[in-house]
Amino acid sequence: MLSMQNISMVYRTETVETHALRDFSLDVEEGEFVSVTGPSGSGKTTFLNIAGLLEGFTSGRYSLDGKDTTQLDDASRSRLRNEKIGFIFQSFNLIPELDIFDNVDVPLRYRGFDSAERRRRIDSVLDMVGLASRKKHLPSQLSGGQQQRVAIARALAGEPRFLLADEPTGNLDSAMADSVMELLEDINSKGTTIIMVTHEPSLAARARRNIFVRDGQLSVEDAGLKVAIGS
Amino acid sequence: MGPIWRALLRNKSSYVLIALQIALTMALMVNAIAIIQERSRLMGRPSGVDEENIFQIYSSSFDPDLEYQSMVAADLDLIRNHPGVVDAVLTNSMPLRQGGWSQGLAIAPGDNSDAVGVAIYFVDEHGVGTFGIDLIAGRNFLPTDVRWFDPDGGPRWPETIILSNAMAMALFPESTAAEVIGRVAYIENNLPVTIIGIIDRMQAPWKEWSGVERSMLVPMKRGDDFARYVVRTETGYRDEVIPQIEKALADRDTGRIIDGAQTMNDVRAAAYLEDSAMIKLLVFIVSLLTAITSLGIVGLASFSVARRTKQIGTRRALGATRRSILRYFMLENFLISTVGVLGGAVLAVAINIWMVQIFALTPIAWYVVPVAMLALWIVGQLAVLGPARRASQVSPATATRSI
Ligand SMILES: Nc1ncnc2c1ncn2[C@@H]1O[C@H](COP(=O)(O)OP(=O)(O)OP(=O)(O)O)[C@@H](O)[C@H]1O
Ligand SMILES: [Mg+2]
């Protein structure tokens, strides 16, 4: 489903070379819920960005859904992101000047659905995250937890195969974090593959599989992590 | 387009100013074009004479024993025989010179009949040929029609005149040019003159005069020490003939000053100096304002792109291609410009109506408004292109990398 082989990623600035990922290999199967933990600066976001086709990489191979992504041009990568991948961000990334309805509409418009189809999908995902009554609200009129639910609705509206989340609960208190986590688990149970970066050991532990990144490398998978987080 | 428009409305305050600026630019542009068109139309009116090949030159005598009539005869003889010269005439003025003589002409004698004002050009039988005007009916003067003005009791006016077609139609609105030939008009209330010819067109010397197309050729020579000669040359010889004539006249008789050589082109340029300066000024102001407006658009768009970097990254992450980001900012600008140009159209028409009332300007041609709208739309799209390009280059990774 998602297959990375010997990916390395080097950021070059004028003064330093940062090896954000080195020789990173990982396979994620359809329907998995993978949590990614690791110290700050270890390369978690870099991994997620590459997985989500938000940036390229220096060397290695990455294929998504059986398709090699190395040769894809920018437009095809955009289309893949739009059709197959849903993103959830730590700071929600809702568009402040658009109301909730229009925010969820953003990826659907890029997809080219007609307005009836878009309306149907928006109503259904907003209903699912329990915010159907807030369609005309602006993001600033919602709580953080509600905003993240809108962001999840937006990520799900296009029915992606993958959901990539970078610290989705990082800006939420524990009660709200818990409800977001429940939502993600629910989504995963319906078949969507989820990869979630988190700093919360308790949340990471709820995923079916954990990976630990240190110094741009996959440290110990699965069992190893359980030791690391001491559960 | 819906969400872009709604997003714009939520940020009204930042876009209202630029829309207003576009509206003002548009209003000014339209009215400047209206004024420029009006002035150009006035400047474009033909004087009726062969402007490219005509020049004038003066002789002012200070010799107290001057024999004026024989001096003029000798001068004209010299000029007319000069190589490159087509013809020359002694006259009192020429079109666009802004100074001349006018008189009233009536179709019935008597103190109470309505006289029509007409510009007078005193010429001899060489007048038609020198000015290069076309006779459309009747005949030119014969040498026998021409007389010298005699201040000591001779007849004040000759018996024949040639009218411009506009003057003929002003006197006899129901007639054709040919029908006017042989008719009698009255000058100074009671003195009859017979119309023997109609010329197509010869403007009066005053360009602002409402009767600028009404003129009359009178076969009379007059003067005592000052003589104005108008000379027409073969095409292309004017500039080399002028100094030759100046020198030949000065050499022929030393008791005078030869001066004031001026081409008809220069006479026209001087007459329309203010108008062409006005046109240049308006073009400058409108260009400057358009430049300022487009800089304003560049500034606003750059600011808006910088402010929305994260949003752009997010849109890219959600599947926007570079093209759709570019399109977003172009469309946003188009919407702002549309508000601006629509407001500008209303403002432009309002100002124009006001100017028509106050300055008696002719109303703007209908097409000027859409043309100016189109121009400002294009200016806006060009101005926003740079910032929009930059927006489209924002990396999708900005979505996760920026705070
Ligand atoms: N655009 C960039 N240019 C240069 N270096 C970068 C860039 N992005 C990331 N890095 C570096 O790459 C390394 C990995 O960064 P990354 O953001 O993947 O870490 P992370 O595990 O997500 O950390 P955190 O938990 O703090 O979010 C860091 O050393 C970071 O400074
Ligand atoms: Mg990170």
Side-chain angles (χ1 to χ4, degrees):
Chain A
M1 172 104 243
L2 176 156
S3 171
M4 288 189 178
Q5 285 154 38
N6 313 106
I7 295 281
S8 73
M9 177 62 176
V10 184
Y11 290 112
R12 285 194 181 85
T13 59
E14 275 162 30
T15 47
V16 282
E17 266 190 10
T18 309
H19 290 260
L21 289 181
R22 337 164 177 248
D23 207 22
F24 190 98
S25 298
L26 178 74
D27 283 281
V28 175
E29 297 305 323
E30 175 117 45
E32 278 197 280
F33 193 144
V34 181
S35 71
V36 182
T37 49
S40 186
S42 57
K44 304 184 295 296
T45 297
T46 305
F47 155 67
L48 213 63
N49 279 357
I50 292 170
L53 302 175
L54 296 186
E55 47 192 323
F57 42 89
T58 314
S59 64
R61 280 180 78 82
Y62 171 39
S63 59
L64 182 67
D65 232 2
K67 190 171 181 183
D68 185 21
T69 65
T70 323
Q71 302 300 323
L72 293 177
D73 63 11
D74 190 80
S76 335
R77 290 164 70 88
S78 301
R79 187 156 6 93
L80 271 183
R81 284 198 293 274
N82 185 250
E83 288 174 4
K84 303 210 170 181
I85 304 166
F87 285 98
I88 306 170
F89 309 94
Q90 175 171 358
S91 44
F92 324 135
N93 290 24
L94 296 179
I95 292 165
E97 60 258 36
L98 295 183
D99 66 18
I100 300 319
F101 185 93
D102 282 339
N103 259 286
V104 178
D105 198 19
V106 169
L108 302 181
R109 281 180 180 264
Y110 294 135
R111 187 76 156 265
F113 289 134
D114 64 34
S115 72
E117 173 70 5
R118 298 200 318 265
R119 179 167 296 276
R120 189 188 66 71
R121 284 175 179 250
I122 297 166
D123 285 341
S124 124
V125 286
L126 281 179
D127 204 39
M128 183 190 139
V129 300
L131 289 170
S133 60
R134 305 298 183 100
K135 263 184 265 187
K136 292 290 152 208
H137 284 62
L138 288 176
S140 58
Q141 294 167 322
L142 300 184
S143 75
Q146 288 171 327
Q147 288 187 43
Q148 195 59 301
R149 285 169 168 275
V150 174
I152 292 171
R154 181 177 66 183
L156 290 177
E159 293 175 358
R161 308 275 299 280
F162 289 96
L163 208 53
L164 302 181
D166 196 354
E167 303 189 36
T169 60
N171 286 1
L172 302 178
D173 67 27
S174 60
M176 284 205 269
D178 203 56
S179 80
V180 164
M181 190 62 196
E182 270 167 28
L183 191 55
L184 292 179
E185 283 170 333
D186 189 39
I187 292 160
N188 175 245
S189 72
K190 288 173 188 154
T192 308
T193 310
I194 299 183
I195 302 176
M196 176 181 78
V197 171
T198 182
H199 275 118
E200 288 291 321
S202 60
L203 296 183
R206 282 162 75 168
R208 270 190 268 159
R209 177 180 171 200
N210 306 293
I211 62 173
F212 190 78
V213 182
R214 182 191 297 280
D215 272 348
Q217 282 179 309
L218 213 53
S219 185
V220 197
E221 261 189 74
D222 304 282
L225 179 72
K226 295 239 160 54
V227 173
I229 63 174
S231 65
Chain B
M1 198 144 104
I4 301 183
W5 179 243
R6 291 193 283 278
L8 271 178
L9 287 184
R10 294 200 178 93
N11 272 328
K12 272 195 249 34
S13 52
S14 28
Y15 302 104
V16 157
L17 273 180
I18 202 81
L20 204 68
Q21 201 181 337
I22 292 170
L24 287 176
T25 307
M26 158 102 186
L28 215 105
M29 186 186 272
V30 166
N31 284 285
I33 291 174
I35 294 173
I36 290 170
Q37 281 188 323
E38 168 103 0
R39 300 287 172 120
S40 308
R41 188 185 61 76
L42 293 178
M43 291 175 75
R45 291 173 306 180
S47 63
V49 307
D50 181 16
E51 290 186 23
E52 290 305 314
N53 300 309
I54 289 177
F55 69 93
Q56 62 170 1
I57 191 161
Y58 311 148
S59 163
S60 317
S61 301
F62 47 80
D63 179 357
D65 303 328
L66 173 78
E67 249 302 334
Y68 184 74
Q69 297 191 6
S70 55
M71 176 201 84
V72 166
D75 282 350
L76 284 174
D77 198 44
L78 182 155
I79 300 171
R80 286 170 185 160
N81 287 314
H82 191 90
V85 169
V86 175
D87 212 342
V89 72
L90 172 77
T91 186
N92 59 314
S93 188
M94 63 205 285
L96 297 168
R97 215 183 62 81
Q98 300 295 82
W101 183 328
S102 78
Q103 198 74 38
L105 209 55
I107 54 173
D111 297 345
N112 301 322
S113 53
D114 288 335
V116 178
V118 62
I120 290 182
Y121 293 107
F122 292 106
V123 295
D124 60 14
E125 72 276 13
H126 294 269
V128 169
T130 301
F131 282 113
I133 41 190
D134 297 327
L135 267 171
I136 57 172
R139 63 167 177 87
N140 190 6
F141 299 123
L142 298 170
T144 49
D145 294 318
V146 182
R147 63 192 47 173
W148 275 97
F149 177 68
D150 178 5
D152 308 320
R156 293 183 53 77
W157 296 92
E159 285 135 25
T160 56
I161 54 170
I162 293 176
L163 296 182
S164 73
N165 194 35
M167 180 60 191
M169 293 307 114
L171 288 177
F172 307 102
E174 309 293 323
S175 311
T176 64
E179 288 164 1
V180 173
I181 301 303
R183 310 274 301 251
V184 174
Y186 297 86
I187 198 161
E188 290 183 5
N189 299 329
N190 296 306
L191 304 175
V193 285
T194 304
I195 302 162
I196 59 153
I198 304 294
I199 51 174
D200 181 25
R201 172 194 292 270
M202 184 173 179
Q203 283 191 331
W206 316 278
K207 69 179 171 61
E208 290 92 358
W209 185 37
S210 60
V212 65
E213 298 299 337
R214 298 202 299 268
S215 64
M216 158 163 92
L217 300 185
V218 174
M220 182 172 255
K221 305 191 204 187
R222 44 193 307 158
D224 38 31
D225 50 15
F226 178 82
R228 176 194 313 279
Y229 302 117
V230 169
V231 184
R232 180 174 171 213
T233 64
E234 312 267 5
T235 304
Y237 285 87
R238 184 193 62 194
D239 293 344
E240 68 184 82
V241 164
I242 290 173
Q244 292 166 359
I245 295 285
E246 270 179 322
K247 182 164 187 320
L249 287 178
D251 289 351
R252 199 193 61 72
D253 179 352
T254 51
R256 59 172 175 183
I257 295 167
I258 300 295
D259 197 9
Q262 194 181 18
T263 66
M264 182 89 204
N265 287 352
D266 288 343
V267 172
R268 166 175 282 276
Y272 285 109
L273 191 62
E274 232 175 84
D275 303 79
S276 45
M278 174 70 116
I279 289 176
K280 280 182 199 139
L281 183 71
L282 286 174
V283 167
F284 175 74
I285 290 176
V286 169
S287 318
L288 190 72
L289 210 73
T290 308
I292 292 174
T293 302
S294 57
L295 284 181
I297 293 171
V298 172
L300 180 76
S302 302
F303 175 71
S304 141
V305 167
R307 190 172 52 82
R308 288 190 280 189
T309 307
K310 182 177 174 184
Q311 172 186 145
I312 296 165
T314 305
R315 287 177 179 275
R316 293 281 279 129
L318 296 176
T321 55
R322 288 193 183 128
R323 279 176 62 106
S324 31
I325 298 297
L326 189 80
R327 205 162 41 223
Y328 182 97
F329 285 92
M330 305 288 283
L331 201 56
E332 184 180 76
N333 169 271
F334 180 79
L335 292 175
I336 298 168
S337 296
T338 300
V339 171
V341 297
L342 289 180
V346 173
L347 197 63
V349 172
I351 292 177
N352 190 251
I353 290 172
W354 177 75
M355 290 216 301
V356 168
Q357 283 169 357
I358 304 289
F359 302 113
L361 210 70
T362 44
I364 22 171
W366 68 269
Y367 62 84
V368 175
V369 173
V371 163
M373 285 170 84
L374 194 70
L376 281 169
W377 262 318
I378 292 172
V379 165
Q381 293 287 291
L382 290 179
V384 86
L385 201 58
R389 275 235 175 81
R390 242 175 294 133
S392 73
Q393 297 304 317
V394 168
S395 157
T398 314
T400 52
R401 294 293 186 197
S402 64
I403 16 88

